[in-house]
Amino acid sequence: QVQLVESGGGLVQAGGSLRLSCVAPGRTFRSYAMGWFRQAPGKEREFVALISWSGGNTYYADFVKGRFTVSRDNAKNTVYLQMNSLKPEDTAVYYCAARTTTGLPTAAELYDLWGRGTQVTVSS
């Protein structure tokens, strides 16, 4: 049915910042934990970050700790990924995903809804 919609991607110089947004179904938004994944050309999809249903808990992949911050605004049905100190290796299509289940945050198969992705390109 209704899918997630990401935005905010683009081209940025190394060391720069981008803020991604993801709009989710309104009525059921607070029933979902929200995650971010990314996929670079020729590579498998990898977990980036997760924020809990209430927004009180977050979980990050090691390679983004200290650089990326995930947050959500339930009144706007939106989750954000603030990306700072970007590196060329961060170049990928970034996907927003939603899940109603509990379990391993990095397990992509546990996510129920996905967006179509937004391209992030970091130049050196």
Side-chain angles (χ1 to χ4, degrees), residues 57-70:
N57 297 101
T58 56
Y59 188 87
Y60 297 95
D62 288 342
F63 59 84
V64 301
K65 288 181 179 178
R67 299 192 298 126
F68 293 7
T69 302
V70 64

Side-chain angles (χ1 to χ4, degrees), residues 2 16 22 24-25 28 37 39 42 47 59-60 66 74-76 78 81 85-86 95 98 100 104 112-113 115 118 123:
V2 180
C22 173
T28 61
F37 289 77
Q39 187 167 21
F47 171 80
Y59 188 87
Y60 297 95
N74 290 346
K76 296 181 178 180
T78 303
L81 184 67
S85 302
L86 284 163
Y95 297 91
T100 58
L104 188 67
D112 306 298
L113 298 174
T118 184
S123 62

Side-chain angles (χ1 to χ4, degrees), residues 10-103:
L11 176 65
V12 65
Q13 296 280 351
S17 299
L18 284 174
R19 188 191 192 194
L20 306 184
S21 298
C22 173
V23 180
R27 197 177 186 278
T28 61
F29 182 69
R30 286 184 287 180
S31 297
Y32 290 86
M34 303 296 295
W36 288 95
F37 289 77
R38 70 186 189 185
Q39 187 167 21
K43 297 183 179 180
E44 295 184 359
R45 186 174 300 182
E46 62 181 349
F47 171 80
V48 176
L50 172 78
I51 186 165
S52 65
W53 298 349
S54 67
N57 297 101
T58 56
Y59 188 87
Y60 297 95
D62 288 342
F63 59 84
V64 301
K65 288 181 179 178
R67 299 192 298 126
F68 293 7
T69 302
V70 64
S71 62
R72 67 190 295 165
D73 185 341
N74 290 346
K76 296 181 178 180
N77 303 323
T78 303
V79 62
Y80 304 96
L81 184 67
Q82 178 66 46
M83 305 184 295
N84 299 325
S85 302
L86 284 163
K87 306 173 182 179
E89 51 262 45
D90 293 320
T91 296
V93 176
Y94 283 72
Y95 297 91
C96 181
R99 61 186 289 178
T100 58
T101 58
T102 59

